[in-house]
């Protein structure tokens, strides 16, 4: 193959890649949320011709006759925005996922969009309250906890949203860690309407046992900026698994006895306060304390030893700083992870006075 042929092949490959990027959109999937049975619902996709040549949509096909699509028939100029609407007839109860394939002059392969949702007999609104405000919406919680998670679990926590503004919002969860995904339903929430953000934890991707903490941010539209008033704190507690232990294993296991699992810290005008807890292994094999962590700032811990032989004791000193603890968003707690099958996780609650 000569140099001209190589150059032509490279240019052809670049052209195909550029064509594949011609159609762009912020949302390739629109979630319609809960829709009423036999009440057609429409999703509108906002797209753009990001190429250098006019875009012609030659055909738009849906994955079934229950979905109808409307699209522009005229050429779409470079840099021009356009919309495609897809209407689902909602004649079947339950979850649905429908594809829309766009065939154009820029590529032999179609560009896919999708709509999803749930067809229900009647809409049932969330009966709880929305005590917290995040940007333009009210939410029922701004602190998420995944407790007692075992490796392989995929627990889900939900945040209910109410749009209290005068404009539509399209919530998006920003700064998601690799071990978490978010599903927003519906994708667009009209003024006065409600929606749900489902946070899904993939425990296989958590690195260590014990507490993992992070923050995500709830934006009002794709590309929104991160800000302190959009923060949602997220914590997960991964526990060791003892499912395969036999009765003999359990009888020979270590056993933790703890003097206090709740502490009252009455600072009485002092800036710091310390309390001491006694730990004892009353089992038959060594007790290992593999993790000792705090849910909030303002706490410090000091453990005299992390391995206790049978009948051996240790002390845990917990020191609190009044100013930081009183300003904490969540309840002050210390978490301890052990190899005691009956007490793999111990939570020490701190009551601040």
């Amino acid at each position: 193959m000569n140099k001209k042929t190589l150059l032509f092949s490279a240019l052809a490959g670049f052209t195909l890649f550029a064509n594949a990027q011609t159609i762009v959109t912020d949302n390739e999937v629109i979630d319609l949320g809960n829709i009423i049975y036999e009440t057609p619902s429409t999703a509108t996709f906002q797209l753009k011709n990001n190429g250098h040549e006019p875009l012609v949509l030659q055909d738009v096909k849906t994955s079934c006759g229950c979905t109808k699509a409307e699209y522009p028939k005229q050429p779409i100029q470079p840099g021009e925005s356009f919309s495609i609407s897809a209407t689902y007839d909602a004649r079947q109860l339950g979850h649905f996922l429908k594809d829309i394939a766009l065939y154009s002059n820029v590529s032999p392969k179609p560009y896919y969009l999708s709509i999803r949702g749930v067809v229900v007999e009647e809409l049932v609104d969330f009966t709880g309250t929305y005590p917290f405000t995040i940007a333009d919406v009210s939410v029922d919680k701004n602190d998420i906890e995944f407790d007692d998670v075992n490796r392989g679990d995929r627990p889900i926590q939900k945040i209910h949203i109410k749009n209290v503004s005068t404009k539509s919002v399209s919530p998006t969860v920003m700064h998601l860690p690799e071990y978490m995904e978010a599903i927003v339903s519906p994708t667009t929430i009209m003024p006065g309407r409600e929606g749900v953000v489902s946070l899904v934890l993939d425990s296989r991707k958590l690195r260590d046992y014990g507490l993992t903490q992070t923050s995500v941010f709830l934006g009002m539209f794709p590309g929104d900026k991160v800000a302190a008033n959009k923060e949602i704190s997220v914590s997960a507690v991964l526990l060791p698994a003892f499912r395969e232990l036999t009765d003999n294993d359990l009888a020979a296991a270590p056993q933790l006895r703890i003097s206090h699992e709740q502490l009252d810290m009455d600072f009485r005008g002092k800036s710091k306060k310390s309390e001491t807890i006694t730990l004892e292994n009353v089992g038959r094999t060594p007790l290992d304390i593999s993790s000792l962590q705090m849910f909030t700032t303002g706490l410090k811990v000091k453990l005299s030893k992390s391995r206790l032989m049978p009948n051996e004791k240790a002390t845990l000193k917990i020191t609190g700083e009044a100013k930081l603890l009183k300003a904490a968003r969540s309840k002050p707690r210390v978490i301890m992870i052990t190899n005691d099958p009956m007490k793999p996780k111990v939570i020490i609650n701190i009551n601040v006075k």
Side-chain angles (χ1 to χ4, degrees), residues 173-211:
V173 183
M174 304 176 290
H175 284 207
L176 277 170
E178 63 176 0
Y179 53 81
M180 192 176 300
E181 62 179 292
I183 303 169
V184 181
S185 177
T187 303
T188 299
I189 305 175
M190 305 298 289
R193 299 298 297 272
E194 300 174 339
V196 178
V197 174
S198 298
L199 295 177
V200 185
L201 175 71
D202 186 349
S203 63
R204 297 170 300 176
K205 296 181 179 179
L206 291 173
R207 293 184 178 181
D208 302 313
Y209 291 119
L211 179 65

Side-chain angles (χ1 to χ4, degrees), residues 51 53 128 163 165 186 190 245 255:
E53 301 294 335
N163 183 1
S165 71
M190 305 298 289
L245 294 182
Q255 185 177 346

Side-chain angles (χ1 to χ4, degrees), residues 218-270:
L218 185 64
M220 297 298 102
F221 52 87
D224 197 1
K225 295 181 179 179
V226 169
N229 67 336
K230 302 171 186 175
E231 182 181 8
I232 298 172
S233 55
V234 182
S235 63
V237 177
L238 183 65
L239 300 183
F242 298 104
R243 297 170 180 167
E244 298 181 2
L245 294 182
T246 65
D247 290 341
N248 289 335
D249 292 332
L250 292 172
Q255 185 177 346
L256 172 65
R257 178 184 291 166
I258 183 169
S259 61
H260 298 85
E261 293 187 28
Q262 181 169 300
L263 292 178
D264 294 325
M265 284 194 173
D266 190 348
F267 290 92
R268 296 183 183 273
K270 296 181 180 179

Side-chain angles (χ1 to χ4, degrees), residues 31-312:
D31 192 314
L32 293 170
N34 291 342
I35 61 177
I36 296 293
Y37 178 60
E38 292 188 336
T39 302
S41 188
T42 300
T44 301
F45 296 87
Q46 301 298 330
L47 305 102
K48 183 179 180 180
N49 178 3
N50 203 40
H52 301 288
E53 301 294 335
L55 169 68
V56 178
L57 296 178
Q58 299 163 336
D59 195 8
V60 174
K61 295 182 178 180
T62 61
S63 56
C64 74
C66 56
T67 307
K68 305 296 182 184
E70 294 185 4
Y71 61 96
K73 308 300 191 296
Q74 71 278 9
I76 301 156
Q77 299 303 314
E80 185 179 350
S81 297
F82 62 101
S83 62
I84 291 177
S85 63
T87 301
Y88 179 64
D89 64 13
R91 294 180 183 176
Q92 185 172 347
L93 292 170
H95 291 263
F96 65 89
L97 173 63
K98 304 299 177 183
D99 293 327
I100 302 100
L102 314 185
Y103 294 86
S104 70
N105 62 322
V106 300
S107 174
K109 295 183 179 180
Y111 182 90
Y112 283 98
L113 303 170
S114 300
I115 59 173
R116 68 186 179 200
V118 184
V119 180
V120 296
E121 292 183 347
E122 61 177 346
L123 294 178
V124 179
D125 291 336
F126 174 61
T127 58
T129 60
Y130 299 91
F132 306 103
T133 298
I134 294 181
D136 296 329
V137 301
S138 294
V139 297
D140 67 325
K141 62 186 75 170
N142 62 0
D143 183 32
I144 299 296
E145 296 182 0
F146 292 93
D147 274 337
D148 297 351
V149 179
N150 293 117
R151 187 77 72 184
D153 291 350
R154 284 179 59 87
I156 299 174
Q157 289 279 0
K158 294 185 177 181
I159 302 173
H160 293 88
I161 300 173
K162 185 170 184 178
N163 183 1
V164 294
S165 71
T166 58
K167 57 184 179 181
S168 299
V169 297
S170 299
T172 179
V173 183
M174 304 176 290
H175 284 207
L176 277 170
E178 63 176 0
Y179 53 81
M180 192 176 300
E181 62 179 292
I183 303 169
V184 181
S185 177
T187 303
T188 299
I189 305 175
M190 305 298 289
R193 299 298 297 272
E194 300 174 339
V196 178
V197 174
S198 298
L199 295 177
V200 185
L201 175 71
D202 186 349
S203 63
R204 297 170 300 176
K205 296 181 179 179
L206 291 173
R207 293 184 178 181
D208 302 313
Y209 291 119
L211 179 65
T212 299
Q213 292 179 299
T214 189
S215 288
V216 298
F217 298 84
L218 185 64
M220 297 298 102
F221 52 87
D224 197 1
K225 295 181 179 179
V226 169
N229 67 336
K230 302 171 186 175
E231 182 181 8
I232 298 172
S233 55
V234 182
S235 63
V237 177
L238 183 65
L239 300 183
F242 298 104
R243 297 170 180 167
E244 298 181 2
L245 294 182
T246 65
D247 290 341
N248 289 335
D249 292 332
L250 292 172
Q255 185 177 346
L256 172 65
R257 178 184 291 166
I258 183 169
S259 61
H260 298 85
E261 293 187 28
Q262 181 169 300
L263 292 178
D264 294 325
M265 284 194 173
D266 190 348
F267 290 92
R268 296 183 183 273
K270 296 181 180 179
S271 61
K272 293 184 179 181
K273 177 75 173 178
S274 295
E275 298 286 352
T276 300
I277 292 174
T278 301
L279 311 175
E280 183 180 3
N281 179 11
V282 294
R284 297 181 179 179
T285 51
L287 172 72
D288 292 318
I289 300 171
S290 57
S291 179
L292 195 61
Q293 298 164 293
M294 288 72 69
F295 276 85
T296 56
T297 58
L299 288 174
K300 293 182 180 179
V301 296
K302 185 176 181 180
L303 183 65
S304 62
K305 58 179 66 178
S306 59
R307 165 165 277 209
L308 281 70
M309 302 306 291
N311 300 316
E312 191 172 12

